[in-house]
Amino acid sequence: MKRLLTAVTATVAALTLTACGATEPAADDKAKKTAEPITLTDATGTKVELDGPAKKVVATEWNVVESLVSLGVDPVGVADAKGYKTWDTAAPLKNNPKDIGTRSEPSMDTIAALKPDLIVATTGLPPAATKQLRNIAPVLEVKAADASDPVGQMTKNLDLIAQATGTTEQAEKLNKQFGAKIAEGKKDLADAGLAGAQIAFADGYVVSNQVSIRPFTSGSLIGGVNEKLGLKNAWSVKGDEEYGLGTTDVEGLTKLGDDVHFAYIGNDGDKNSSPFTGALAKDKVWTSLPFVEKGNVHRLPDGIWMFGGPESMMKYIDSVVAALTK
């Protein structure tokens, strides 16, 4: 009798396990069945089709890396990961993604080995490289920049990447935080009597002992944010159609007004990126500029990527408001 009960118990257990296996699919299978296909049109007008929200994502430019990280997606591959860690601390990497090469020449073999669900690139990537990437995985291209609406383009890029990764709620949250930060910064500047103050933001580099200064006009992302803060862009030079960046030298700075606030971002990790405290420190043209003599030169903290997303721009707002109102 005991043996019979044991046999019956074993049979029931086996049937139960079999039934469970038949009615309860594995978690991965269930996720695949419940995921809805996604079809998007990217910045080039190309249709991008995904089986569901992309999870294994490769990013070929730092602004899209920041967007992914801000949306809670850890990219499996990043172009020049070391450079990103140096220049963008507003949205630090939370994982250790594979370095896929440079931003202009990503390694196709490295990317293929990662077997990504999606590759996020910008229109700044050479077309030949993008064509090769499309042979590896779906490619979502976002517009690198747009000087006619720099802040709006930043938001469009974030929203498109969010749709591809199933993170639209987080994108909405980020956009609201950014809007609130703009309003807060604008009020703080107005309260300090700085509404309409002239500002000239730039970065600079030393190449072959020659200083090159790059003005960020109103068409740049930084310039667009400054104007939303109620500041006036002091640059008269013309910027390019994408990034709103101009070119000048130290002599060109003499055209700026006496009461302008001059702000810049350098990086201690790049010795050639801070000429204003290096190569120009003893330059007579630089030291005689009225805004330099008045102490209206503001070096903002390292690690704010000037071409990034909402998190970089919120960090920029905090920094520029603190610098101007100190």
Side-chain angles (χ1 to χ4, degrees):
M1 185 67 175
K2 183 175 180 181
R3 288 180 181 177
L4 179 60
L5 289 172
T6 302
V8 170
T9 302
T11 301
V12 171
L15 289 171
T16 301
L17 288 172
T18 301
C20 288
T23 59
E24 294 294 334
D28 289 345
D29 292 337
K30 187 183 291 185
K32 290 178 181 177
K33 290 180 180 179
T34 57
E36 292 289 335
I38 297 172
T39 301
L40 299 169
T41 301
D42 71 9
T44 66
T46 302
K47 183 178 290 186
V48 181
E49 297 181 344
L50 303 171
D51 294 334
K55 303 300 180 185
K56 294 180 65 178
V57 186
V58 166
T60 68
E61 185 53 83
W62 292 344
N63 61 336
V64 298
V65 173
E66 179 180 325
S67 291
L68 288 166
V69 175
S70 298
L71 292 168
V73 179
D74 295 326
V76 297
V78 168
D80 187 7
K82 181 179 179 181
Y84 179 84
K85 292 175 183 178
T86 299
W87 282 97
D88 194 330
T89 61
L93 294 168
K94 297 179 176 63
N95 62 334
N96 292 303
K98 186 73 174 178
D99 192 308
I100 62 167
T102 68
R103 292 179 286 158
S104 59
E105 295 183 9
S107 168
M108 300 301 161
D109 290 340
T110 302
I111 295 173
L114 293 171
K115 298 180 179 180
D117 301 329
L118 178 69
I119 300 167
V120 184
T122 71
T123 51
L125 194 66
T130 304
K131 184 177 180 180
Q132 287 182 281
L133 291 174
R134 292 194 190 281
N135 292 326
I136 298 173
V139 176
L140 183 73
E141 281 190 88
V142 300
K143 197 168 185 179
D146 185 354
S148 68
D149 184 14
V151 177
Q153 189 61 54
M154 175 192 74
T155 301
K156 286 179 184 178
N157 290 351
L158 180 74
D159 290 345
L160 188 59
I161 294 170
Q163 291 175 50
T165 55
T167 55
T168 53
E169 289 186 6
Q170 178 62 14
E172 290 174 4
K173 180 181 177 182
L174 277 169
N175 288 330
K176 287 181 180 177
Q177 290 175 339
F178 176 68
K181 182 63 69 175
I182 285 283
E184 176 189 341
K186 185 174 184 177
K187 183 179 184 301
D188 289 345
L189 289 170
D191 289 347
L194 291 167
Q198 296 277 332
I199 186 168
F201 183 92
D203 63 3
Y205 294 89
V206 180
V207 180
S208 300
N209 296 319
Q210 295 294 317
V211 175
S212 178
I213 297 170
R214 192 165 60 169
F216 283 57
T217 72
S218 57
S220 68
L221 181 55
I222 290 288
V225 170
N226 283 338
E227 291 192 347
K228 287 186 178 296
L229 289 172
L231 300 171
K232 290 185 178 180
N233 200 300
W235 292 113
S236 58
V237 299
K238 185 178 181 180
D240 69 88
E241 294 182 356
E242 281 191 313
Y243 292 95
L245 302 175
T247 57
T248 190
D249 54 19
V250 66
E251 298 289 343
L253 299 181
T254 60
K255 297 178 182 179
L256 293 172
D258 293 356
D259 295 326
V260 70
H261 288 270
F262 187 88
Y264 70 96
I265 291 174
N267 201 293
D268 287 338
D270 184 346
K271 64 180 181 180
N272 293 319
S273 69
S274 300
F276 308 110
T277 53
L280 295 179
K282 296 182 180 180
D283 184 278
K284 292 182 179 180
V285 176
W286 169 257
T287 56
S288 65
L289 292 168
F291 58 85
V292 175
E293 293 179 337
K294 293 179 180 179
N296 285 339
V297 177
H298 314 283
R299 176 174 177 171
L300 305 185
D302 291 10
I304 301 174
W305 185 229
M306 295 87 79
F307 313 97
E311 292 209 66
S312 279
M313 291 303 100
M314 287 190 284
K315 189 171 182 179
Y316 169 77
I317 292 168
D318 284 340
S319 299
V320 76
V321 170
L324 268 57
T325 60
K326 66 181 179 181

